[in-house]
């Protein structure tokens, strides 16, 4: 396509949201008008599906629940007055609590102010707050935010050791919808022990963000924790950033949560328009469908050209892959849908994997995130007429052009600056794009049977470990892996038993191994 035709295509497909100052350019996705026309019936159904979702239709039959994260930023849309009031009350509760913490009205027993926060969560309960903190927290936030988001003992030790001199002024957020998810529960137990080692009453520092009546909620009540904030049955983890899960840590850091909610509301309004060209989320869904032939045949590479948006690719990775990665469609047919998402940031990637993007396997499409404002304040010139920000802009435009010249498609999202309203809008934009795309490919974006299967398998391994230890404690002689499996009634799990034994031995958990470590069948295991 010559330069004139490409310029005309750019203008034809450029979307601009005047209120937000946000641009979306899909002109470098090489679909034609016939392709868009062919998808029109699917989009009409997708728009109708999203309208029903917002009205409170049961969207997750696995758990018989609604999906209402859109109501969080516009409570008047909630299907009942009671739900509307719950949302309004939760936002007010967050604002009041954060203000009291900032002014010292709520403070720790042994210090005039809280200085830090430990946030314990998993999945969306960690990724959302991490993304927002990286994007929006000031250089000197009201409270420093630290995350425990994995069952890595060394990682937990690192957080605790970093805060050892400030633990007496550190709040702890425990985020778990049910209160029974192992990762946040285990993290909470470890942190609670750390407080006990410093003779600190954990209840004076602990805040639960959970569903009313959950195990965690009951524990927080019985132990008289500092505060409790609600999670709602109709909000999934990956869409929970604009609930208490994300709003409380953001407010405690001094981030303008009302601006985040307002930006999301403005984007929600824009993405309800039942017209592909006038709906930015529809344009994204259209582009995704085109790139992967409606089958996820190409990966999404997210390249934000701004350090503060580094974690946006990780945030989108969970949102897109957990929502769209499904074995079966709505009729129960095996379809293996999904879009793989990865990314880092520009212009770091000019010197990393852009070489492959330009010349390697063409199994992707790129999403550039461009920020028009270089920095807060003027930039000095590095050379006559050229600033650091000019270089960054040049790298982005150059990479986009280089990819297009080699038949690599790309999308560009352009925002005026990174602020609370824009971050809220980006969250809402991709929330809706995922919902629309799911309808186009006829899958349920709001359940996660694969995640549940992984949790069940992990629980089975832990049960097997208890059986293995019991067998070894009962026997008086050393046993081979095969003998342990036979006595544990688990001959179909020999490899798992070997890995359990190896892990226990490596961590000096009272086992003795004799034999050749390179030959697992030669090993004899006993209790020391």
């Amino acid at each position: 396509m010559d330069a004139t035709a490409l310029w005309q295509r750019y203008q034809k497909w450029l979307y601009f949201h005047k209120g937000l100052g946000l641009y979306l350019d899909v002109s470098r996705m090489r679909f034609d008008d016939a392709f868009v026309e062919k998808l029109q019936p699917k989009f009409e159904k997708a728009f109708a599906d999203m309208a029903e979702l917002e009205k409170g239709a049961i969207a997750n039959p696995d758990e018989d629940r609604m999906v209402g994260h859109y109501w969080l930023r516009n409570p008047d849309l909630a299907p009942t007055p009671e739900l509307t009031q719950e949302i309004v009350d939760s936002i007010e509760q967050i604002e009041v609590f954060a203000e009291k913490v900032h002014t010292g009205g709520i403070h720790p027993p042994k210090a005039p102010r809280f200085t830090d926060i430990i946030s314990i969560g998993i999945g969306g309960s960690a990724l959302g707050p991490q993304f927002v903190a990286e994007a929006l927290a000031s250089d000197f936030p009201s409270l420093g935010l630290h995350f425990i988001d994995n069952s890595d003992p060394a990682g937990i030790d690192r957080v605790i050791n970093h805060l050892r001199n400030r633990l007496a002024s550190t709040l702890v957020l425990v985020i778990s919808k049910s209160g029974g998810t192992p990762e946040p529960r285990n993290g909470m137990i470890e942190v609670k022990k750390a407080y006990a080692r410093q003779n600190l009453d954990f209840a004076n520092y602990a805040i639960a963000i959970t569903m009313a009546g959950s195990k965690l909620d009951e524990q927080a009540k019985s132990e008289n924790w500092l505060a409790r904030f609600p999670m709602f049955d109709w909000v999934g983890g990956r869409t929970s950033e604009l609930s208490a899960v994300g709003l409380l840590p953001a407010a405690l850091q001094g981030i303008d949560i009302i601006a985040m909610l307002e930006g999301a509301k403005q984007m929600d309004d824009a993405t309800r328009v039942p017209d592909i060209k006038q709906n930015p989320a529809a344009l994204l869904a259209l582009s995704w469908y085109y790139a992967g032939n409606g089958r996820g045949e190409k990966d999404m590479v997210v390249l934000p050209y701004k350090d503060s948006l580094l974690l946006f690719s990780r945030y989108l990775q969970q949102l897109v892959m957990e929502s769209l990665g499904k074995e079966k469609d709505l009729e129960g047919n095996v379809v293996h849908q999904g879009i793989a998402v990865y990314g880092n940031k520009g212009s770091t990637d000019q010197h990393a994997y852009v070489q492959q993007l330009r010349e390697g396997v063409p199994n992707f499409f790129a999403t550039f995130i461009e920020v028009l404002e270089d920095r807060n304040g003027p930039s000095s010139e590095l050379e006559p007429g050229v600033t650091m920000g000019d270089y960054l802009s040049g790298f982005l435009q150059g990479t986009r052009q280089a990819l297009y010249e080699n038949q690599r498609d790309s999308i560009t999202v352009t925002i005026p600056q990174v602020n609370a309203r824009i971050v809220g809008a980006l969250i809402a934009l991709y929330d809706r794009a995922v919902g629309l795309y799911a309808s186009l490919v006829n899958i349920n974006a709001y359940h996660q049977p694969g995640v549940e299967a992984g949790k069940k398998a992990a629980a089975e391994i832990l049960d097997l470990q208890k059986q293995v230890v019991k067998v070894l404690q009962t026997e008086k002689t050393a046993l081979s892996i095969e003998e342990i499996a036979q006595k544990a009634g688990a001959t179909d799990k020999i490899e798992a038993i070997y890995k359990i034994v190896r892990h226990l031995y490596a961590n000096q958990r009272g086992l003795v191994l004799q034999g050749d470590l390179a030959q697992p069948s030669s090993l004899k295991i006993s209790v020391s």
Side-chain angles (χ1 to χ4, degrees), residues 93-369:
Q93 183 188 2
I94 289 166
E95 289 190 292
V96 169
F97 184 84
E99 176 66 19
K100 287 182 178 179
V101 169
H102 293 157
T103 59
I106 295 175
H107 61 87
K110 299 183 179 181
R113 291 279 199 281
F114 283 106
T115 60
D116 295 87
I117 308 163
I118 296 174
S119 180
I120 304 172
I122 192 73
S125 298
L127 279 170
Q130 285 171 344
F131 159 54
V132 168
E134 184 79 14
L136 297 177
S138 71
D139 294 339
F140 304 99
S142 303
L143 289 90
L145 185 55
H146 315 268
F147 291 94
I148 291 177
D149 63 351
N150 195 12
S151 295
D152 176 10
I156 294 172
D157 288 348
R158 185 176 185 181
V159 172
I160 297 300
N161 289 337
H162 180 73
L163 290 169
R164 65 185 182 279
N165 296 327
R166 301 196 303 277
L167 214 58
S169 60
T170 298
L171 281 168
V172 182
L173 310 183
V174 184
I175 308 171
S176 176
K177 194 171 190 178
S178 67
T181 304
E183 293 94 337
R185 183 205 63 189
N186 296 348
M188 183 267 292
I189 291 172
E190 288 259 357
V191 172
K192 193 174 183 179
K193 289 180 179 178
Y195 276 72
R197 287 194 294 272
Q198 293 196 18
N199 296 315
L200 300 171
D201 183 353
F202 183 69
N204 292 325
Y205 304 84
I207 299 167
I209 303 176
T210 187
M211 277 181 55
S214 73
K215 293 178 182 177
L216 178 59
D217 189 48
E218 293 303 318
Q219 179 180 359
K221 280 195 291 187
S222 67
E223 295 179 4
N224 197 28
W225 284 17
L226 187 60
R228 293 177 290 125
F229 291 86
M231 292 180 78
F232 303 114
D233 179 56
W234 35 266
V235 176
R238 57 191 174 278
T239 55
S240 66
E241 174 55 28
L242 297 178
S243 71
V245 168
L247 296 181
L248 179 59
L252 288 169
Q253 290 176 94
I255 294 168
D256 187 346
I257 63 171
I258 301 304
M260 284 178 63
L261 292 166
E262 179 56 32
K265 181 177 182 292
Q266 285 184 269
M267 182 55 73
D268 285 342
D269 291 342
T271 58
R272 289 190 188 98
V273 176
D275 180 335
I276 296 173
K277 290 188 71 172
Q278 302 304 317
N279 182 324
L283 288 170
L284 285 178
L286 170 75
S287 300
W288 299 353
Y289 194 99
Y290 168 77
N293 294 319
R295 298 278 305 165
E297 293 173 2
K298 291 191 176 182
D299 303 339
M300 183 191 308
V301 180
V302 182
L303 298 169
Y305 275 66
K306 187 63 74 174
D307 287 357
S308 61
L309 296 179
L310 169 65
L311 296 182
F312 192 45
S313 56
R314 280 189 65 199
Y315 176 79
L316 291 182
Q317 190 173 61
Q318 184 193 12
L319 175 67
V320 173
M321 294 179 72
E322 190 170 356
S323 298
L324 302 181
K326 300 296 159 63
E327 180 180 27
K328 297 179 179 179
D329 66 13
L330 294 175
E331 278 72 55
N333 303 306
V334 175
V335 292
H336 295 299
Q337 277 287 356
I339 300 175
V341 180
Y342 62 95
N344 193 354
K345 67 180 180 182
S347 66
T348 298
D349 291 309
Q350 311 295 132
H351 306 280
Y353 54 73
V354 165
Q355 169 63 33
Q356 176 165 316
L357 299 186
R358 175 68 165 76
E359 298 183 2
V361 184
N363 62 344
F364 72 95
F365 63 98
T367 298
F368 295 100
I369 311 294

Side-chain angles (χ1 to χ4, degrees), residues 21-41:
L22 178 146
Y23 299 82
L24 175 62
D25 164 29
V26 297
S27 65
R28 266 50 173 185
M29 304 297 294
R30 288 165 294 157
F31 55 77
D32 57 21
D33 291 345
F35 177 81
V36 179
E37 185 63 29
K38 185 178 179 181
L39 275 189
Q40 187 63 42

Side-chain angles (χ1 to χ4, degrees), residues 459-479:
E460 290 173 355
I461 291 293
L462 292 173
D463 287 340
L464 179 60
Q465 177 174 308
K466 293 175 184 176
Q467 291 176 256
V468 167
V469 171
K470 184 177 180 181
V471 166
L472 289 169
Q473 289 175 339
T474 301
E475 294 298 318
K476 303 299 183 184
T477 58
L479 301 175

Side-chain angles (χ1 to χ4, degrees), residues 105 385 460 514 522:
E460 290 173 355
Q514 296 175 308
S522 74

Side-chain angles (χ1 to χ4, degrees), residues 350-403:
Q350 311 295 132
H351 306 280
Y353 54 73
V354 165
Q355 169 63 33
Q356 176 165 316
L357 299 186
R358 175 68 165 76
E359 298 183 2
V361 184
N363 62 344
F364 72 95
F365 63 98
T367 298
F368 295 100
I369 311 294
E370 177 184 24
V371 183
L372 293 177
E373 181 183 80
D374 291 338
R375 58 160 42 113
N376 183 16
S379 291
S380 59
E381 294 183 353
L382 302 178
E383 53 197 72
V386 180
T387 67
M388 181 74 80
D390 297 339
Y391 267 101
L392 189 65
S393 179
F395 290 144
L396 187 156
Q397 293 187 55
T399 301
R400 174 175 173 271
Q401 180 63 21
L403 294 183

Side-chain angles (χ1 to χ4, degrees), residues 349-520:
D349 291 309
Q350 311 295 132
H351 306 280
Y353 54 73
V354 165
Q355 169 63 33
Q356 176 165 316
L357 299 186
R358 175 68 165 76
E359 298 183 2
V361 184
N363 62 344
F364 72 95
F365 63 98
T367 298
F368 295 100
I369 311 294
E370 177 184 24
V371 183
L372 293 177
E373 181 183 80
D374 291 338
R375 58 160 42 113
N376 183 16
S379 291
S380 59
E381 294 183 353
L382 302 178
E383 53 197 72
V386 180
T387 67
M388 181 74 80
D390 297 339
Y391 267 101
L392 189 65
S393 179
F395 290 144
L396 187 156
Q397 293 187 55
T399 301
R400 174 175 173 271
Q401 180 63 21
L403 294 183
Y404 181 75
E405 288 173 352
N406 223 24
Q407 306 296 303
R408 269 70 167 165
D409 290 338
S410 69
I411 298 163
T412 302
V413 178
T414 301
I415 58 177
Q417 60 181 196
V418 180
N419 60 37
R421 199 160 62 100
I422 294 298
V423 166
L426 287 175
I427 290 169
L429 172 61
Y430 280 88
D431 276 353
R432 185 84 62 171
V434 162
L436 290 172
Y437 182 88
S439 180
L440 295 181
V441 300
N442 195 38
I443 60 168
N444 184 348
Y446 305 107
H447 69 159
Q448 49 282 333
V451 175
E452 300 307 316
K455 291 179 181 178
K456 181 180 178 182
E460 290 173 355
I461 291 293
L462 292 173
D463 287 340
L464 179 60
Q465 177 174 308
K466 293 175 184 176
Q467 291 176 256
V468 167
V469 171
K470 184 177 180 181
V471 166
L472 289 169
Q473 289 175 339
T474 301
E475 294 298 318
K476 303 299 183 184
T477 58
L479 301 175
S480 68
I481 300 293
E482 290 81 359
E483 288 170 334
I484 295 171
Q486 188 173 25
K487 291 180 180 294
T491 53
D492 59 334
K493 299 176 181 176
I494 293 178
E495 182 179 316
I497 290 172
Y498 163 67
K499 291 185 175 181
I500 288 169
V501 167
R502 185 177 63 181
H503 176 255
L504 294 175
Y505 174 71
N507 286 278
Q508 301 175 0
R509 300 278 291 280
L511 297 191
V512 176
L513 268 64
Q514 296 175 308
D516 183 353
L517 294 175
Q519 297 293 327

